[in-house]
Amino acid sequence: RRYPTVELRAEAFNGSTHVPVPSDSAFLKALLFELRLVDDHVFVEQRDTCTRINHSSVYSVSTAAGELWPVLAFHKSGLIYACVPLVEGTLEPRPPLLTVSGLSQGLALLLGIMDYISPSRQNEAEMNAKVGQLRNLLIQACPLGTPLNTNIRSLNSSFEDIQEMPADKDQPAWRSSTYKGKPQVNVCIAEKVKCMQYDQKDVVDTWQVYGAVNCKCDIEGSAPNVTLSLNLPTNAPPLQDIVVHHCVTSVDPAMLTSTSAEPLHDSVYNGPYKFPFIPPSDSFNLCYYTSQVPVPPILGCYQLVEEGSQIKIMVNLKLHESIKNSFEYCEARIPFFNRGPIAQLEYKVSYGQLDLSREKSLLVWVIGQKFPKSLEVSLTGTVSFGTAGKEHPTDYVCTGNTAYVKLYFRIPDFTLTGCYVDQHSVQIFVPGKPKITASRELISSDYYIWNSKAPAPMVYKPL
């Protein structure tokens, strides 16, 4: 999709130094070359010199008219997603990436397109149909070159529901269509917990919790008013770093000034956290937050020791007593990098079952949906390896005995902060009694337990 208005603005900003976007075929050829998807076996100094190591998805593409920059592109599941964002200013000298707002807008749009197309990757006919609908969807999502809605999946591929002008002058721009039917509100609090555990005296374990409150409000009217409250149990740590959706009409300033960068003190805002808003037509994240919880949900210890041609491993996991012992899934994955396939494995688990991956380079310890009454599980074993091949995983960080266990789990109807939505406190100023559904979940994200018998990469070291 080309936007002549955007290209004219780019030319106005840069004058004689402007590099036009070449024809589709020439652009594709140049982009494939830059992404090393063609001629990757040939060393080309302009592209492959070590002075041009790219640390982002922003490229400078060589065209007949000169260097076209910035080109935002990434390769995912056999497809290339690319766009050329407008830089609202001169390109000489090149501005820092963080100052180019078009890059974040373009990335959000490309990720929305990927989210729309990627579920159909296995079915070619379905994917072709979706790609065929993309033009219509882009007219709605990005009519004049500025992304208005990056959630491509939420858009209608036909033109029947598109309103040229809202029927009601009070209808906000983000409420693209009106709903007809019984009013209902769905709210889901999804918290993710990140963790780095070392089990070493001189290194501090770290963990972070961050949450998102997702809403879907099916309510009649052009500008319905909704008020939703988040509550915390008594003595729970407060929510911090709160960021709200633009549809929120007003909030207590104290709520937004609580930040995790400062130590907690008595005057910190503990809620309830009230959010009055006019909801968009589609699913959206009402707010994001973090919190400084006192303990991680699962405490672990991992020891890996090399003895001749064998390695001995020992893993202990303990569920904290304050955590709900009811998982949708819980498993620990133990990868072995820079080694051959596992040739021999002897092990003993106190609970759950241990599986070996098909590539024979990963142990998967399936703990299941509950920890035992003791809330502790353990695994001990001896592993020996065959000759390494190209297909076995390598890692520049995890060399020698530097290794980790990574935990994957989901606990439904539970949050680590204790944050919840009181369904009776949801206020909707519309006729009829709305149906309100509230759910919550805790999900692991980058939950690592490092081998305590070897040096591990530190988040930070104590002074």
Side-chain angles (χ1 to χ4, degrees), residues 25-341:
S25 58
F27 176 76
L28 176 61
K29 187 177 178 182
L31 182 62
L32 289 172
F33 178 80
E34 184 62 34
L35 294 175
R36 295 180 173 83
L37 295 173
V38 294
D39 296 337
D40 63 322
H41 59 286
V42 180
F43 176 79
V44 179
E45 186 170 352
Q46 179 189 347
R47 177 192 68 182
D48 301 319
T49 174
C50 60
T51 59
R52 277 197 64 184
I53 295 173
N54 211 332
H55 297 289
S56 70
S57 297
V58 181
Y59 296 89
S60 177
V61 173
S62 296
T63 69
E67 291 280 317
L68 183 64
W69 184 92
V71 176
L72 182 59
F74 57 88
H75 184 230
K76 186 82 174 173
S77 303
L79 295 174
I80 299 168
Y81 300 85
C83 68
V84 184
L86 174 69
V87 178
E88 298 188 69
T90 179
L91 293 176
E92 294 295 337
R94 283 185 185 174
L97 295 183
L98 285 174
T99 65
V100 182
S101 60
L103 284 171
S104 54
Q105 293 174 356
L107 181 61
L109 184 63
L110 292 181
L111 291 174
I113 294 171
M114 185 181 79
D115 188 47
Y116 166 71
I117 287 179
S118 57
S120 310
R121 284 293 296 124
Q122 305 302 320
N123 186 328
E124 196 171 339
E126 187 184 332
M127 194 184 81
N128 288 339
K130 281 196 169 185
V131 171
Q133 292 169 351
L134 254 184
R135 186 168 183 81
N136 288 351
L137 295 172
L138 278 172
I139 289 172
Q140 302 167 62
C142 192
L144 293 171
T146 301
L148 302 180
N149 186 351
T150 57
N151 187 359
I152 307 295
R153 276 200 298 182
S154 70
L155 300 172
N156 196 315
S157 58
S158 74
F159 287 96
E160 295 166 15
D161 294 343
I162 302 174
Q163 302 174 15
E164 288 193 13
M165 284 292 288
D168 188 328
K169 63 181 176 55
D170 295 325
Q171 182 171 330
W174 61 83
R175 202 166 162 76
S176 57
S177 60
T178 52
Y179 171 78
K180 299 287 181 192
K182 187 178 178 183
Q184 53 187 7
V185 174
N186 288 304
V187 185
C188 177
I189 302 174
E191 284 188 358
K192 290 188 176 180
V193 55
K194 278 188 170 188
C195 196
M196 289 275 177
Q197 295 181 37
Y198 303 99
D199 190 34
Q200 293 183 15
K201 287 181 182 178
D202 60 336
V203 185
V204 180
D205 293 347
T206 63
W207 57 92
Q208 295 171 290
V209 178
Y210 48 101
V213 181
N214 185 268
C215 298
K216 177 75 166 74
C217 302
D218 294 324
I219 304 169
E220 291 189 357
S222 56
N225 284 294
V226 181
T227 299
L228 183 147
S229 293
L230 297 181
N231 297 284
L232 292 172
T234 313
N235 299 324
L239 304 185
Q240 296 177 290
D241 306 322
I242 297 173
V243 179
V244 299
H245 191 273
H246 59 73
C247 72
V248 175
T249 51
S250 65
V251 288
D252 189 320
M255 189 194 301
L256 301 180
T257 53
S258 176
T259 167
S260 58
E262 295 173 4
L264 292 175
H265 49 81
D266 295 339
S267 62
V268 77
Y269 191 84
N270 279 294
Y273 302 86
K274 277 195 168 185
F275 300 92
F277 60 96
I278 299 172
S281 312
D282 306 303
S283 171
F284 70 103
N285 285 331
L286 176 67
C287 69
Y288 301 91
Y289 62 84
T290 66
S291 183
Q292 298 182 44
V293 295
V295 288
I298 298 174
L299 285 164
C301 166
Y302 177 36
Q303 293 185 355
L304 179 151
V305 180
E306 207 153 350
E307 292 185 356
S309 61
Q310 292 184 329
I311 62 167
K312 289 190 173 181
I313 59 168
M314 186 272 289
V315 185
N316 287 329
L317 302 174
K318 184 172 192 236
L319 181 69
H320 194 269
E321 57 268 17
S322 65
I323 307 301
K324 182 182 177 185
N325 190 7
S326 178
F327 294 77
E328 182 182 302
Y329 58 85
C330 181
E331 64 182 46
R333 297 187 184 179
I334 309 165
F336 296 99
F337 298 105
N338 313 307
R339 304 174 190 269

Side-chain angles (χ1 to χ4, degrees), residues 361-376:
S361 59
L362 175 72
L363 297 180
V364 181
W365 181 13
V366 179
I367 294 157
Q369 296 179 315
K370 265 188 181 299
F371 273 67
K373 277 189 177 179
S374 65
L375 301 182
E376 292 190 53

